[in-house]
C-alpha cells in the first residue's frame, strides 16, 4: 500500500505532538508515526519554565494546564553534610508576559497536545525500516518504508524519535554520550494531602543531588541523580529500595518520606545522556526536506530542566518557518521550498540548543561534585548564589508566535479582488 502525505513526523512524544499542533495551527496537515500502541507515558512529570509556557501559548494549549498546576517562584537547596540552606529565586518572565514555572504530569501534557489534533493524525504501532530521498521531476520527496509493507511519500519528514533517534543517525549526527550520571524519577502520592509549600526543595550531597516539587496538593514529582547510577537496579521496586537504603539513606526525613510514598508504576531510572554541542552546531541537523526536533536534535541532561521546554520551542519555530512558506505559496506546501524553510529553522535553533546542552552539563557538574574537596563545595555554593539565577534567565526566551494562515490568505484574496 502506498500513502501520500504533506508532512510525516516520527514519534508521538512531546516534540512530535507539539510539532503536529504547530503545523495544524498554520494550516498544514501532518501524520505522526508512533511505534508504541498508545501515547508514551514514560516519565512521571517535568518542569516547564516560562519559555515553555510561551511556546504553549503559541500552540493554544497553555490554558488547559495552568488551571491544574500552580506555579512556583522559588526553592531551597540544603547541603546534606552541613545543613546549610540556600534559597533560589526562579526567573518568571519579563513584564508579566510569561507564566511562572510549573511542574506538570507528562501524560497530561501529551494528552493536552493530542486533543488538539484530528483523530487520524497519529498512526500507532508503526515502525519504519528505511528512509529514502527521491527526486521526481526536479522535486525532492521523502519515502518511508514501514514494517507492515506500507510505503509513505511525504514532502517533509521531521524526526522526533527521541535520544536514540533513527532519523538523527540517518542524517549523520553523532550518537549521544553518557554524562557519567543517572537519574531516578517518580511520583509521590499523599491521599490526604502532602502539606508542602509550592516550592522546589533540593538536597545536595557528595556525588548526589535530589529533590521534589509539588504537582497538586496530593502529588509531588521527586528525583535523585547520582554518579553511581550504572549500578542501579532496573526493577522499580528494587530501584525504590536502593534509593531509600543506599543512595539517600543520610538525606533528611522529609525527602525519604516523599520517596516512601512513591507510586512504583511511574518510577523510572535512566542514564543522563547528551549530544556534544559542537555536533549540534557543525553537524547535519537537516538534509533537504528532512530534519529533527526535540531530543532527536539536542539531547541534554536534566539539570536546567530544559529538555521538554526546548522541544516545545522547536515545534513553534519549525511551524513558523514551514507556515511562512505555506502562506507565501497561497496555502500550498511547495516541496522545493521546504529545504529553505527547514534551513531557516536549523539556523535559528542550533546555537540556542548548543548553549542549553552546555549550560545543563556544566550546571550538573558543579551541583554534583564527585568528592568532598572544600574548593568544590565552595564553587557549588557560589553557583547556587550567583550563577543559577542567571542561568535561569535562559528560561525567559520567547520563541515567537505562529503565523495566521487563514488571515493571510483572506488578505491576499482581498488584495487580488481589489486589483
Amino acid at each position: 500500500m502506498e500513502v501520500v502525505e504533506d508532512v510525516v513526523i516520527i514519534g508521538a512524544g512531546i516534540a512530535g505532538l507539539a510539532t503536529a499542533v504547530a503545523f495544524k495551527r498554520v494550516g498544514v496537515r501532518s501524520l505522526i508515526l508512533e511505534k508504541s500502541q498508545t501515547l508514551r507515558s514514560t516519565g512521571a512529570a517535568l518542569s516547564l519554565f516560562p519559555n515553555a509556557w510561551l511556546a504553549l501559548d503559541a500552540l493554544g494549549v497553555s490554558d488547559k494546564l495552568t488551571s491544574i498546576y500552580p506555579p512556583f517562584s522559588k526553592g531551597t537547596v540544603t547541603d546534606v553534610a552541613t545543613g546549610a540552606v540556600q534559597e533560589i529565586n526562579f526567573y518568571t518572565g519579563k513584564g508579566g508576559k510569561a507564566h511562572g514555572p510549573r511542574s506538570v504530569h507528562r501524560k497530561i501534557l501529551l494528552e493536552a497536545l493530542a486533543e488538539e489534533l484530528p483523530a487520524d493524525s497519529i498512526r500507532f504501532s508503526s515502525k519504519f525500516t528505511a528512509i529514502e530521498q527521491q527526486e521526481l521531476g526536479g522535486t525532492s520527496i521523502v519515502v518511508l518504508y514501514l514494517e507492515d509493507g506500507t510505503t509513505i511519500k511525504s514532502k517533509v519528514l521531521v524526526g522526533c524519535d527521541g535520544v536514540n533517534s533513527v532519523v538523527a543517525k540517518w542524517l549523520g549526527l553523532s550518537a549521544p554520550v553518557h554524562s557519567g550520571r543517572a537519574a531516578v524519577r517518580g511520583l509521590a502520592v499523599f491521599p490526604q494531602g502532602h502539606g508542602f509549600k509550592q516550592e522546589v526543595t533540593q538536597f545536595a550531597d557528595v556525588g548526589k543531588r535530589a529533590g521534589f516539587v509539588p504537582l497538586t496538593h496530593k502529588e509531588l514529582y521527586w528525583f535523585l541523580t547520582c554518579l553511581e547510577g550504572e549500578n542501579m537496579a532496573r526493577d522499580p521496586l528494587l530501584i525504590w529500595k536502593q534509593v531509600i537504603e543506599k543512595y539517600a539513606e543520610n538525606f533528611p526525613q522529609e525527602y525519604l518520606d516523599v520517596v516512601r510514598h512513591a507510586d512504583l508504576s511511574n518510577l523510572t531510572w535512566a542514564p543522563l545522556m547528551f549530544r556534544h554541542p559542537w555536533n549540534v552546531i557543525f553537524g547535519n541537523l537537516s538534509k533537504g526536506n528532512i530534519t529533527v526536533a526535540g531530543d532527536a536534535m539536542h539531547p541534554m541532561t536534566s539539570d536546567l530542566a530544559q529538555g521538554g521546554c526546548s522541544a516545545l520551542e522547536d515545534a513553534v519555530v519549525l511551524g513558523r518557518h514551514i507556515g511562512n512558506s505555506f502562506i507565501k505559496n497561497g496555502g500550498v506546501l511547495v516541496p522545493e521550498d521546504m529545504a529553505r524553510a527547514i534551513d531557516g529553522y536549523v539556523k535559528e535553533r542550533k546555537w540556542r540548543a548548543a548553549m542549553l546542552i552546555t549550560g545543563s552539563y556544566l550546571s550538573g557538574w558543579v551541583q554534583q561534585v564527585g568528592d568532598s574537596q572544600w574548593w568544590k563545595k565552595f564553587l557549588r555554593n557560589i553557583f547556587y548564589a550567583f550563577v543559577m539565577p542567571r542561568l535561569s534567565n535562559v528560561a525567559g526566551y520567547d520563541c515567537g508566535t505562529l503565523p495566521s494562515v487563514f488571515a493571510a490568505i483572506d488578505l491576499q484574496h482581498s488584495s487580488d479582488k481589489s486589483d
Side-chain angles (χ1 to χ4, degrees):
M1 181 176 69
E2 183 174 289
V3 179
V4 179
E5 297 286 344
D6 277 342
V7 177
V8 172
I9 298 168
I10 306 296
I14 294 172
L17 291 171
T19 300
V21 173
F23 287 152
K24 181 195 171 189
R25 291 279 180 262
V26 299
V28 176
R29 171 181 162 75
S30 61
L31 173 67
I32 302 175
L33 301 180
E34 170 55 46
K35 64 182 180 181
S36 301
Q37 296 179 353
T38 59
L39 285 180
R40 291 175 287 161
S41 58
T42 303
L46 70 161
S47 293
L48 298 179
F49 280 76
N51 56 320
W53 293 106
L54 288 170
L56 288 169
D57 281 342
L59 296 172
V61 178
S62 62
D63 288 346
K64 291 182 176 182
L65 302 167
T66 54
S67 60
I68 303 174
Y69 303 104
F72 54 87
S73 60
K74 66 178 182 178
T76 59
V77 181
T78 300
D79 187 310
V80 173
T82 66
V85 179
Q86 287 182 290
E87 186 172 295
I88 300 173
N89 292 310
F90 292 100
Y91 183 86
T92 57
K94 297 178 181 179
K97 184 180 179 182
H99 304 277
R102 305 163 193 253
S103 287
V104 305
H105 293 86
R106 177 183 167 85
K107 182 180 179 181
I108 299 300
L109 173 59
L110 293 178
E111 290 174 347
L113 291 167
E115 287 169 1
E116 297 296 311
L117 299 172
D120 60 349
S121 294
I122 308 174
R123 179 171 169 167
F124 293 104
S125 302
S126 295
K127 298 179 181 180
F128 68 96
T129 58
I131 305 171
E132 286 184 6
Q133 277 183 316
Q134 294 182 358
E135 296 293 328
L136 295 178
T139 298
S140 178
I141 64 167
V142 183
V143 182
L144 284 170
Y145 299 95
L146 272 59
E147 204 173 59
D148 65 0
T150 302
T151 300
I152 301 179
K153 294 183 177 179
S154 178
K155 298 173 184 177
V156 175
L157 173 66
V158 185
C160 299
D161 45 340
V163 174
N164 299 309
S165 168
V166 177
V167 180
K169 183 178 180 180
W170 185 88
L171 288 170
L173 291 170
S174 66
V177 295
H178 199 308
S179 67
R181 297 180 295 124
V184 179
R185 302 178 179 95
L187 289 180
V189 181
F190 291 75
Q192 306 305 317
H194 51 69
F196 289 103
K197 294 180 181 179
Q198 194 64 31
E199 298 177 358
V200 180
T201 303
Q202 296 188 70
F203 306 94
D205 198 9
V206 176
K208 292 178 283 189
R209 185 165 61 90
F212 58 84
V213 58
L215 289 163
T216 66
H217 72 286
K218 291 184 178 181
E219 292 181 307
L220 301 103
Y221 165 61
W222 64 271
F223 69 90
L224 181 140
T225 61
C226 55
L227 297 173
E228 304 173 19
E230 65 272 16
N231 297 319
M232 185 72 72
R234 297 299 189 270
D235 178 78
L237 178 60
L238 295 179
I239 294 171
W240 178 71
K241 288 182 177 179
Q242 282 187 307
V243 170
I244 294 174
E245 298 172 2
K246 178 181 178 182
Y247 292 99
E249 62 176 344
N250 62 330
F251 278 47
Q253 284 301 313
E254 61 177 336
Y255 177 76
L256 291 172
D257 189 45
V258 168
V259 176
R260 290 189 180 101
H261 282 78
D263 176 357
L264 297 185
S265 67
N266 288 291
L267 197 153
T268 61
W269 170 94
L272 296 178
M273 311 292 290
F274 71 99
R275 174 164 285 129
H276 287 129
W278 50 85
N279 190 237
V280 173
I281 295 172
F282 301 110
N284 294 321
L285 299 181
S286 67
K287 183 179 180 182
N289 50 355
I290 300 176
T291 191
V292 284
D295 283 345
M297 177 191 280
H298 44 65
M300 65 186 74
T301 64
S302 56
D303 302 286
L304 289 182
Q306 283 295 306
C309 299
S310 55
L312 293 169
E313 291 179 10
D314 292 342
V316 175
V317 175
L318 182 55
R320 172 161 33 86
H321 282 275
I322 296 293
N324 285 335
S325 171
F326 186 68
I327 292 169
K328 181 185 72 174
N329 291 290
V332 178
L333 206 62
V334 178
E336 53 265 31
D337 204 33
M338 290 300 95
R340 286 190 292 270
I342 288 173
D343 186 57
Y345 154 74
V346 167
K347 288 178 179 177
E348 184 171 342
R349 293 304 296 160
K350 65 181 181 179
W351 287 99
R352 175 162 171 81
M355 179 191 70
L356 290 174
I357 291 171
T358 304
S360 296
Y361 179 83
L362 293 176
S363 173
W365 181 82
V366 171
Q367 293 180 75
Q368 201 159 311
V369 292
D371 55 49
S372 57
Q373 290 178 294
W374 68 268
W375 64 271
K376 288 190 175 181
K377 285 195 172 184
F378 175 76
L379 183 62
R380 186 178 67 194
N381 292 337
I382 293 296
F383 175 84
Y384 282 128
F386 300 104
V387 181
M388 176 64 93
R390 288 163 178 78
L391 279 177
S392 295
N393 286 343
V394 303
Y397 178 83
D398 187 348
C399 62
T401 59
L402 292 165
S404 175
V405 60
F406 303 110
I409 292 175
D410 288 344
L411 182 62
Q412 184 176 353
H413 287 170
S414 299
S415 176
D416 292 341
K417 289 179 181 179
S418 65
D419 291 340

